[in-house]
Amino acid sequence: MRTVSQVRKVMGRRTELDLTVTEYAPGGYLTLRTAPNSRPGVTQRYGVRASANGCQVPFSLELDSVPKMAERLVRAQLGKQIPMVFDRLGSLLKA
């Protein structure tokens, strides 16, 4: 299995996350997960579907072990970051 490292700024702080590719089907889907017992546990799923204008990339994110009091803040931050990630991906694909 292959490991992917992500470095991002979250709420003004640099964060590093090591994810392992746990599922992969070329032209179909990709699932990335943090190591067991990681806190928070993260699972990212990406799909690829043909559409009239090119393709669609369905995305889902699961977080485990996020403290209840931080849950709302994490959701709000992700709501800002995820569109930026897909905008950047779209720019790379068009280049």
Side-chain angles (χ1 to χ4, degrees):
M1 293 195 189
R2 186 168 175 96
T3 300
V4 177
S5 294
Q6 292 182 345
V7 178
R8 295 186 177 152
K9 264 196 168 179
V10 178
M11 297 181 282
R13 297 181 65 191
R14 177 187 159 105
T15 62
E16 295 182 37
L17 189 62
D18 291 326
L19 300 157
T20 300
V21 177
T22 57
E23 297 176 297
Y24 174 66
Y29 60 89
L30 170 71
T31 302
L32 304 168
R33 288 195 177 121
T34 52
N37 301 320
S38 294
R39 293 193 75 181
V42 177
T43 301
Q44 299 176 10
R45 288 188 181 90
Y46 301 85
V48 178
R49 291 188 202 141
S51 73
N53 298 325
C55 71
Q56 295 177 333
V57 181
F59 169 76
S60 69
L61 176 71
E62 296 173 22
L63 298 173
D64 298 324
S65 303
V66 174
K68 285 283 187 199
M69 61 186 257
E71 195 171 298
R72 182 184 231 181
L73 183 60
V74 169
R75 285 183 190 276
Q77 190 65 31
L78 289 171
K80 294 176 188 175
Q81 285 190 348
I82 290 171
M84 292 186 320
V85 168
F86 281 103
D87 285 344
R88 189 171 47 215
L89 177 61
S91 297
L92 290 171
L93 293 173
K94 290 177 186 175

